Amino acid sequence: MVQKLKISFDDPEFGWVRINIDSGMFHIYEQLSYISDPFDHIVAALGACTTRYCSVTVECELEPGQLMFSFHGDGGLIRLTISERHRHTKRLFEVKGTFDEICLPFWRALRNLQGRFSDDELSSRMHKPFPSSEMKNLTQKVELLRGR
């Protein structure tokens, strides 16, 4: 069993949002820039992972540098690799688990954000449109997967 991932987003402000990821053995707290449209890319990656066959990397701008989330699914388990790139790429953390163990914590963090702010307010705070229709589609896929 995978060490439980806990993921949360702080309140977005001025085009920045802090992501907090904790697995018990690994902890990261980084501020993501709107430049890379992190919410849109995370939602798209999670949507790809609902098929259980995925290979997608989300690159989030730290300014300077990037934080990367790579999701690789082979039909069963999904491997999440978190890396940081400044001048060189450095792998920070890697974990393998089920969709529920790897992807649901990201989805829950996004849903929590939606519960705290309207889509318009999120868009204003991040200087980019919040992917509300994509989140709705992702939520439907998650509910189908969890209802099996």
Side-chain angles (χ1 to χ4, degrees):
M1 171 124 173
V2 172
Q3 190 111 27
K4 186 172 180 165
L5 281 177
K6 295 177 188 167
I7 299 171
S8 63
F9 292 102
D10 288 354
D11 295 351
E13 289 189 277
F14 310 111
W16 294 89
V17 65
R18 284 199 180 270
I19 187 169
N20 184 14
I21 301 173
D22 189 355
S23 75
M25 296 175 58
F26 170 79
H27 183 254
I28 191 166
Y29 189 63
E30 284 285 357
Q31 189 153 292
L32 310 178
S33 168
Y34 74 97
I35 296 294
S36 58
D37 211 352
F39 297 141
D40 190 52
H41 293 294
I42 291 170
V43 169
L46 297 177
C49 290
T50 60
T51 67
R52 302 281 201 295
Y53 293 94
C54 61
S55 183
V56 61
T57 298
V58 175
E59 296 181 1
C60 298
E61 292 296 325
L62 302 175
E63 295 186 41
Q66 293 177 317
L67 186 66
M68 296 170 291
F69 306 101
S70 296
F71 299 87
H72 297 281
D74 60 8
L77 299 178
I78 295 171
R79 183 178 73 243
L80 168 65
T81 305
I82 300 174
S83 304
E84 191 172 51
R85 180 171 42 213
H86 288 282
R87 288 188 178 179
H88 304 284
T89 301
K90 176 182 171 188
R91 184 180 350 188
L92 302 175
F93 176 71
E94 187 169 278
V95 64
K96 201 170 196 179
T98 65
F99 178 87
D100 287 2
E101 293 167 328
I102 302 299
C103 298
L104 273 185
F106 282 94
W107 174 77
R108 286 184 179 125
L110 289 163
R111 293 287 290 161
N112 179 277
L113 204 60
Q114 281 188 301
R116 296 190 331 251
F117 301 99
S118 70
D119 290 343
D120 288 341
E121 190 170 4
L122 281 171
S123 297
S124 173
R125 286 171 169 263
M126 283 303 290
H127 304 287
K128 295 266 186 177
F130 186 80
S132 53
S133 62
E134 292 86 349
M135 255 316 273
K136 183 177 179 181
N137 291 339
L138 175 60
T139 298
Q140 290 171 345
K141 290 177 182 179
V142 167
E143 288 171 349
L144 282 173
L145 283 173
R146 301 212 63 225
R148 55 188 151 99

